[in-house]
Amino acid sequence: MSDLAGKGIIVTGATRGIGRAIALEAARCGANVAFNYARSDAQAAELKEELSACGVKAMAFKADVGDLKAAREMVNAVKKEFGAIDGLVNNAGLTRDKLLVMMTEEDWSEVLRVNLTGAFNFARAAAFIMMKAKRGAILNVTSVSGLSGMAGQVNYSASKAGLIGMTKAMAKELGRMGVRVNALALGFIETDMTAALPEANRKAALEMIPLGRFGSVADVAPAAAFLLSDAAAYITGAVVQIDGGLAM
Ligand code: NAP
């Protein structure tokens, strides 16, 4: 288990799936955890209780990642309560899958707004605090769709490829100020997002995965905690694939 004792960590989009697992893992590793979400009030209340039960501080915010003002307000409130922001996980994301010729301007801009601008907004707000403290780790949750491209995901692939470029540019900019920036490029992980896939697509995807199964959130959360921890002190600008070998 990674050591995150006493660290202050923000996870965006933690009411469900991967974000929820990362938030809980961070709390089990000793971090105070703040998270946001878009709609799921009941799940947020439940997660806050589960985090507190780990014996750490927990904060929940209903805040759209696409809103820079809301990101700033949340980050400042967390800094005030936790004393520091040592880690930021840009996890919130969504899909609006359609073939290019069917994709509306709204499908395009909503995915870019949440997946890419959302990460910019939180990094923009948190980096300032991390730079002043001369320490911090940012982790951007991207996808093999951003590495290889996926048919039906022109908007999503663009947003996730953008996150990879953003990760490397931020790593180069912030490294000398003690701030590390990495990305997790995930394959098919069992969550609400992949549950929406048609059975034929799931079958076709399974055939392409060398390890022969979809991943679970438990395959992701410990790697996230490691990259946030001081054990990863010399790792920055890395895009760590957790995909069962899908995108080799
Ligand atoms: P999920 O189960 O659909 O959960 C998405 C989370 O993001 C929810 O907590 C949701 O909050 C939150 N969210 C959505 N829009 C938001 C917004 N505008 N502001 C704040 N929070 C928002 O998704 P997941 O599968 O766990 O995916 C998490 C991340 O991993 C995403 O970035 C996704 O692209 C990436 N990823 C997933 C897979 C996979 O196979 N599952 C693969 C590669 C990458 P509400 O509950 O309030 O809606």
Side-chain angles (χ1 to χ4, degrees):
M1 219 172 196
S2 297
D3 182 4
L4 298 175
K7 289 189 187 291
I9 287 176
I10 292 176
V11 184
T12 68
T15 35
R16 294 181 280 120
I18 292 156
R20 178 180 157 79
I22 293 174
L24 282 167
E25 178 77 13
R28 286 187 207 107
C29 293
N32 298 316
V33 178
F35 68 91
N36 75 336
Y37 64 101
R39 285 164 291 269
S40 306
D41 297 318
Q43 286 94 329
E46 198 179 297
L47 176 62
K48 194 174 167 208
E49 267 187 33
E50 279 187 62
L51 293 169
S52 301
C54 296
V56 299
K57 289 184 187 172
M59 298 174 84
F61 297 80
K62 188 171 191 171
D64 183 346
V65 288
D67 179 346
L68 178 59
K69 187 167 168 279
R72 281 205 177 112
E73 283 169 7
M74 175 173 163
V75 165
N76 290 336
V78 175
K79 161 81 168 69
K80 205 166 166 203
E81 178 66 16
F82 292 176
I85 296 179
D86 303 288
L88 164 68
V89 184
N90 282 315
N91 166 79
L94 46 77
T95 51
R96 294 274 186 277
D97 293 358
K98 265 174 208 157
L99 294 175
L100 173 62
V101 292
M102 307 298 288
M103 193 171 282
T104 64
E105 201 178 349
E106 205 273 331
D107 295 326
W108 168 264
S109 50
E110 180 61 0
V111 169
L112 270 289
R113 190 186 75 84
V114 173
N115 296 7
L116 190 56
T117 306
F120 164 78
N121 289 344
F122 271 81
R124 173 76 176 77
F128 196 68
I129 292 167
M130 290 177 173
M131 280 161 58
K132 264 175 89 177
K134 296 208 177 315
R135 68 168 199 274
I138 297 173
L139 188 57
N140 295 320
V141 181
T142 181
S143 164
V144 293
S145 186
L147 292 172
S148 315
M150 294 237 183
Q153 291 198 318
V154 165
N155 49 1
Y156 185 79
S157 297
S159 72
K160 294 301 185 180
L163 269 180
I164 292 170
M166 186 193 278
T167 298
K168 293 178 181 179
M170 292 198 308
K172 287 182 179 173
E173 235 182 75
L174 301 177
R176 284 178 195 274
M177 271 140 329
V179 181
R180 298 181 296 104
V181 189
N182 293 294
L184 288 180
L186 307 180
F188 290 91
I189 308 296
E190 298 277 12
T191 66
D192 293 349
M193 193 178 270
T194 40
L197 283 175
E199 193 47 41
N201 296 34
R202 287 176 66 89
K203 212 166 158 252
L206 262 183
E207 277 165 21
M208 294 188 301
I209 302 170
L211 288 183
R213 65 171 177 88
F214 279 18
S216 77
V217 296
D219 292 313
V220 178
F226 167 71
L227 287 167
L228 292 169
S229 78
D230 295 341
Y234 202 55
I235 303 177
T236 197
V239 181
V240 177
Q241 285 177 231
I242 304 179
D243 64 355
L246 174 63
M248 276 189 262

